[in-house]
Amino acid sequence: RVVSGAVLNPDSEPVVGATVFLTNQKTKAIRSYSSTKMGHFYFAQVNMAEDYDLWAENGGKKSPVKTVSSWDSRKEFVTDLKLK
């Protein structure tokens, strides 16, 4: 599975250099990615049989945590993360 999207500020503008975290809920293994100049992030080879927490942080701001569920059969999980 691929997990991707964009990190946005409260005004829905892309955030460059935000750290996006993808944490396996069972093993607690953490992967991270720095958002690109358009705010995009991308994780490849995400195990579809596991559940993950996904969120972004930048400059003391954090997005709400989203769950990437093993029950979700989509091969591409695309979502935006809005910093608060």
Side-chain angles (χ1 to χ4, degrees):
R1 171 190 322 229
V2 171
V3 176
S4 65
V7 180
L8 306 173
N9 68 17
D11 297 323
S12 297
E13 298 166 332
V15 177
V16 179
T19 303
V20 181
F21 296 95
L22 184 69
T23 304
N24 184 308
Q25 290 181 352
K26 186 167 79 176
T27 67
K28 303 301 181 200
I30 299 173
R31 294 168 63 181
S32 64
Y33 190 96
S34 290
S35 60
T36 65
K37 64 183 177 183
M38 295 302 293
H40 293 129
F41 64 89
Y42 182 90
F43 295 97
Q45 298 178 340
V46 177
N47 187 342
M48 291 189 68
E50 303 278 348
D51 294 329
Y52 295 85
D53 289 329
L54 176 70
W55 77 94
E57 296 181 12
N58 186 294
K61 294 183 178 172
K62 183 177 174 181
S63 72
V65 176
K66 295 194 176 184
T67 299
V68 181
S69 174
S70 57
W71 294 101
D72 187 333
S73 61
R74 292 178 288 177
K75 297 263 191 256
E76 292 186 25
F77 184 92
V78 180
T79 188
D80 290 339
L81 301 172
K82 190 174 251 190
L83 299 174
K84 297 205 179 252

